[in-house]
Amino acid sequence: MLCAAMKFKRFLLAASLLCLCPLAQAVQVIMTGGVALRSWENNRGPLAHDNWWANFVRASTIQMDITRSQDPNAEIVWIVYKPAYVTRSVEGKTDYVKNITEIAAKRKVRLVWVSTREDVFKAINNAPGKKGKSPITHFYYFGHSNPHAFMLDYSNYIVAASKVWLHEDDLAGHINPKAFAPGADCRSYGCYTGMSMSKKWKQALGVDLWGNTESTRYQPVGDGRLPEGTGKWVK
């Protein structure tokens, strides 16, 4: 009986110590693609993109504000493709990189600049923090895309073309599925993602990616609303 009592006391002590340990904090990742140059797009007529430099940035901050309203202490990692905002800053004679940095500080998010797809892999894999104790529970992408890739660069170096992208076939083997919590809510606000990339995302990472089967409209962000898809949202 004494042995059993001692074991029970040790169990209670262990349980009390576990209760004192802080729970892992969930992490929300917001990835923002780059904008096109107006010098390229002005020649494309009705096909022109990105009249406003901050379409994707504003959409990202709307999502941040939604998150903060639900959880003021939420950990938000903001991954931003920097080169496009550097060149657009030169073109627009305004320091948009500084603007983004100030936005991140104001909203108390962890800003991670990226320039290559390898940078993106590293940023996503490192988002959970030390030893992966805080898994990614939410992932949002705001930027250009096609059925098979997030186009971080689009119409910036080459008109109507991309030099830096995250392809659906690059997901497996480069992004660690363990970085995501089971059932993580992942959403792409790029065009046509739901046609193919959503399925490849699930196969590679084990979590769903909501995407639209057609184009995505960013006009609503001017009214403080998230972008809208013209097709169906699928995963």
Side-chain angles (χ1 to χ4, degrees), residues 8-22:
F8 183 65
K9 286 181 180 180
R10 289 177 180 174
F11 169 78
L12 290 178
L13 177 60
S16 65
L17 290 175
L18 286 173
C19 291
L20 293 175
C21 297

Side-chain angles (χ1 to χ4, degrees), residues 20 60 68 74 85 110 115 141 148 178 192-193 201 205 234:
L20 293 175
S60 300
R68 287 281 181 247
Y85 294 98
R110 189 185 350 149
S115 299
Y141 174 70
H148 307 287
K178 293 183 179 180
Y192 308 108
T193 312
W201 183 280
L205 305 180
V234 299

